[in-house]
Amino acid sequence: MGVRLMVVDDHRLLAEALASALKLRGHRVLAATAPTAGAADLVISRAPEVCLLGTATPAEPGMFDPVVKIKRERPQVAVLVLGPVPSPRGIAAAFAAGASGYVRHDERIEGVERAIVKARAGEAAVAPQLLQGAFSELLNPAAQPDDEGRRLLQLLTPREVEVLVRVADGEDTRLIAAGMGIAPSTARTHVQRVLMKLGVGSRLEAAALAARTGLLDRAGPVFRTTPPETGTGPES
């Protein structure tokens, strides 16, 4: 039997892709919306059985305030946090706010579905490996943890960073070309280079990787200082 769901994420492409995948598996997705600022009010008004709430920074103070508000107004709604590889602090903060579980951005759809079913049944929905990783980090904290987002960002040129931001916003080749003032063929080349450098095979994978590692949050300063591209004429 399908579950009545809502998908809320800052990145529209991820939200819509996940919503579509869940609809194909027989679930009723009430809404897939990008901004999380009004997520709590929307969830409260629609009252789904389960809400998937995306976050790029699970350890940031106040990140789970929407969860607190949802559980206060609609305690029957199970909230699953959808985020990057979490720190122990991130997992603790999510559950302290009232979340029913935590699902990684790069989880397979089968894993997401299992978490949804468990959450609806009132069970804690967290993959065992996440808990093991959290305990391991607590017991053996890394002195200098690897910053994957920063490392990946260093692989990209400013132009490629802008392309990645636009891909994550759901823009197709035509919109990317128009927004950057370049030819569609040049836009396609930029996209292919981004996929190659990130080691992924599709735009959706690139967007998911960027969200999971926090690359998009780091891309802001680079994106704002991107110089205009010259010498590119219209595609023949």
Side-chain angles (χ1 to χ4, degrees):
M1 181 178 177
V3 180
R4 289 190 300 109
L5 300 165
M6 286 188 67
V7 180
V8 183
D9 196 286
D10 279 332
H11 304 294
R12 185 178 65 231
L13 180 64
L14 294 180
E16 292 181 351
L18 181 55
S20 296
L22 291 169
K23 285 179 182 178
L24 290 174
R25 299 178 78 86
H27 300 289
R28 292 177 55 199
V29 183
L30 301 182
T33 184
T36 55
D41 291 335
L42 186 59
V43 173
I44 291 168
S45 66
R46 302 298 295 273
E49 293 178 283
V50 179
C51 170
L52 282 164
L53 180 66
T55 176
T57 53
E60 184 175 316
M63 181 54 61
F64 299 117
D65 287 351
V67 180
V68 174
K69 184 174 182 179
I70 291 168
K71 297 304 292 184
R72 182 175 64 244
E73 300 294 331
R74 296 283 188 179
Q76 74 276 19
V77 176
V79 181
L80 279 176
V81 175
L82 182 67
V85 179
S87 66
R89 184 182 303 173
I91 290 181
F95 278 94
S100 297
Y102 193 106
V103 182
R104 281 176 46 165
H105 273 137
D106 58 355
E107 179 64 78
R108 297 175 63 88
I109 189 64
E110 294 84 1
V112 176
E113 189 171 38
R114 284 194 296 270
I116 289 171
V117 173
K118 291 183 69 174
R120 183 177 64 170
E123 303 175 29
V126 185
Q129 59 267 31
L130 284 186
L131 290 179
Q132 291 170 2
F135 284 126
S136 176
E137 186 177 334
L138 285 171
L139 294 174
N140 303 288
Q144 294 181 335
D146 177 44
D147 189 336
E148 188 179 3
R150 177 178 296 174
R151 179 182 65 80
L152 292 174
L153 187 60
Q154 291 174 345
L155 297 176
L156 305 177
T157 67
R159 262 317 198 193
E160 289 164 352
V161 171
E162 180 175 356
V163 168
L164 178 58
V165 171
R166 291 179 180 277
V167 166
D169 284 340
E171 294 187 11
D172 58 18
T173 300
R174 179 181 57 81
L175 288 176
I176 292 173
M180 297 177 66
I182 59 178
S185 59
T186 304
R188 279 192 293 271
T189 298
H190 281 317
V191 171
Q192 289 305 313
R193 286 177 179 168
V194 169
L195 299 184
M196 179 183 67
K197 288 184 177 182
L198 296 183
V200 296
S202 70
R203 297 180 182 215
L204 182 58
E205 289 180 90
L209 177 63
R212 176 174 63 81
T213 60
L215 192 158
L216 293 177
D217 296 326
R218 293 186 174 278
V222 177
F223 179 58
R224 286 193 295 271
T225 57
T226 301
E229 185 163 314
T230 59
T232 302
E235 183 180 25
S236 56

